[in-house]
Amino acid sequence: MPVWARVRGWLDERFGWNELTAPLRKKTVPIHRHSYWYYLGGITLFLFLVQVFTGMLLLLYYRPTASEAFESVQYIMTQVRFGWLVRSIHSWAANLMILTAFAHMFSVLFLRGYQKPRELTWVSGMVLLFLAMGFGFSGYLLPWNTLAFFATKVGTDIAGQVPFAGKWLLVFLRGGEDVTGATLTRFFGFHVALLPGITTLLLALHLALVQRLGISVPPGQRAERESLPRERREMRFFPNFLLRELMAWYVALGVLGALAALAPWELGTKADPFASAPAGIRPEWYFMFMFQTLKLIPARVWLIDGELLGVLAFGAAGLLWLLLPFFARDQWRWTRQGVTGAGIFALAYIAGTTLYGYVAK
Ligand code: HEM
C-alpha cells in the first residue's frame, strides 16, 4: 500500500480524517468568464502570510525605542545575513498586499460578490482593508527615519481633526501631545500585537464565511452558464482550484522576490524631532488620495474648516462603502448601474488624485 494511503488510514482511524475532509473534497468553485478574479483574495492571503513570517524574523533584531530603532534597522540591513532581503520583502509585501486587497475589493464590487447572502463577507473584508492600512501606517514609523517621522506627525494631525473625538484620538495614537519615543513604542504595540490579533480573528471569520457560503456567480453570467454541462460550470476546489491558486502564489512570490532583490527598500536618515520638516513630506501611496484631497480643499468652505470637511467626507464615504450591501440590492434597478458607476468613479478618483499627488509634489 502507498505510504500516503497508510498515513490516511491511520489518520482516519484516530481522528476521522475522511469525515473531516469530506467538505473539502465536495467543495467546488464556479467557472465563468471572469473567474480568474477569484485568485486575488488568495494572493492577498499569501502576502499576509509572508508578512507574518518576515515580521517574526525582523523582530529578532528590531528594537522599538527612539534611541535604538533606526540603528537596529541599520544593523539588520548591513550586518545580519540576508537581513536586507527580509526587510525588503516585508516592506514590498506590505505594499503589494494593500494593492491586491484594493483590487480584490473592486473586483468583488464589479462582480456583485457582496450581495445577499455575502453582506458580512463584504463587511469583514472592508474592516480587513482598514486594518491593512493601519498595518502600513504603524509600520511606516518603526524605522524611525525622517520621512516617516514627519509623515506620522501629519497623519496623526489629520486624525486630530475628527469632530469630538479628535483630540482624544491624537493623544491616544501619539501616546502624548507630540510624536516622540512613546509614539514609536505605541505604534510597535499596534503593529505587532493589536493589529495582528484583530486581523487574525477577522481573517478567520472572512474565510469561514467564504467557505460556508461558497463563491458567488456574477448575476450577468448566470443565464449563460445554465445550458452548460456541470464540468464546464464548476471545478473541484481540491485539487483543481487549489493547484491553480498555488501557481498564482508562486507568481506572486516571483514578483515579490524580484522587487525586493532589485529595488531594496531604503532606510533614509535618522529622524531628528527638533529639525524642521523637510520639503516634500508625503504619506505612503495608499493614503495619497486622501492627503491630496485635503491639500486641494480651500482653508474654508463657507463657514466650515476645509480640512474638517474633508475628514468628514472621507469618514462618510468609508462608512457608506462598508455598508454598501445593505442598501445596494440588485432588485432596485437604480443600484445596478449606480454601484458600477460609483465603483468606476472611486477607482478613477483614487488613481487620479494619487497620480496628481506625485506629479504636483
Ligand atoms: C486581508 C485582506 C483579505 C483577504 C486575505 C481576503 C481573502 C479572501 C479569499 C481567499 C476569498 C475567496 C476567493 C476570492 O473570492 O477571491 C475572499 C472572498 C471574498 N472577499 Fe476577501 N479578502 C480580503 C479583503 C477583502 C476586502 C477588502 C473585501 C471587500 C470589501 C472582501 C470581500 C470579499 C467577498 C465579498 C468575498 C466573496 C466573493 C464571492 O463569493 O464572489 N475581502 N476573500
Side-chain angles (χ1 to χ4, degrees), residues 38 41-42 45 104-105 108 118 122 125-126 203 206 210 215-216:
Y38 294 153
L45 177 63
H104 173 52
M105 183 266 282
V108 167
R118 296 180 179 77
W122 170 271
M126 274 305 284
L203 204 55
H206 194 69
V210 172
I215 286 180
S216 69

Side-chain angles (χ1 to χ4, degrees), residues 51 129 330:
Q51 287 306 92
L129 184 63
D330 239 19

Side-chain angles (χ1 to χ4, degrees), residues 199-254:
T199 305
T200 306
L201 287 178
L202 264 166
L203 204 55
L205 173 70
H206 194 69
L207 297 178
L209 284 168
V210 172
Q211 163 64 29
R212 182 95 192 113
L213 300 169
I215 286 180
S216 69
V217 177
Q221 302 293 313
R222 283 176 202 158
E224 202 174 290
R225 294 167 76 254
E226 286 295 296
S227 53
L228 296 174
R230 189 159 177 226
E231 63 276 10
R232 290 192 52 205
R233 269 187 288 141
E234 51 193 43
M235 77 166 82
R236 287 199 304 173
F237 176 80
F238 186 82
N240 304 47
F241 185 79
L242 190 66
L243 286 175
R244 284 169 174 78
E245 181 77 62
L246 287 179
M247 279 312 292
W249 288 24
Y250 194 50
V251 172
L253 182 66

Side-chain angles (χ1 to χ4, degrees), residues 118-230:
R118 296 180 179 77
E119 297 94 333
L120 262 189
T121 321
W122 170 271
V123 172
S124 59
M126 274 305 284
V127 180
L128 280 170
L129 184 63
F130 294 145
L131 289 168
M133 290 169 89
F135 265 114
F137 188 62
S138 54
Y140 195 44
L141 182 68
L142 298 187
W144 200 246
N145 55 19
T146 310
L147 257 182
F149 176 82
F150 286 102
T152 304
K153 243 178 169 7
V154 176
T156 43
D157 263 337
I158 294 173
Q161 291 288 327
V162 172
F164 307 115
K167 175 80 184 158
W168 175 86
L169 193 62
L170 183 135
V171 172
F172 171 70
L173 287 173
R174 288 184 176 175
E177 295 281 335
D178 292 312
V179 177
T180 60
T183 319
L184 177 65
T185 311
R186 193 159 278 216
F187 272 38
F188 177 71
F190 294 151
H191 195 77
V192 306
L194 194 68
L195 289 171
I198 305 174
T199 305
T200 306
L201 287 178
L202 264 166
L203 204 55
L205 173 70
H206 194 69
L207 297 178
L209 284 168
V210 172
Q211 163 64 29
R212 182 95 192 113
L213 300 169
I215 286 180
S216 69
V217 177
Q221 302 293 313
R222 283 176 202 158
E224 202 174 290
R225 294 167 76 254
E226 286 295 296
S227 53
L228 296 174
R230 189 159 177 226

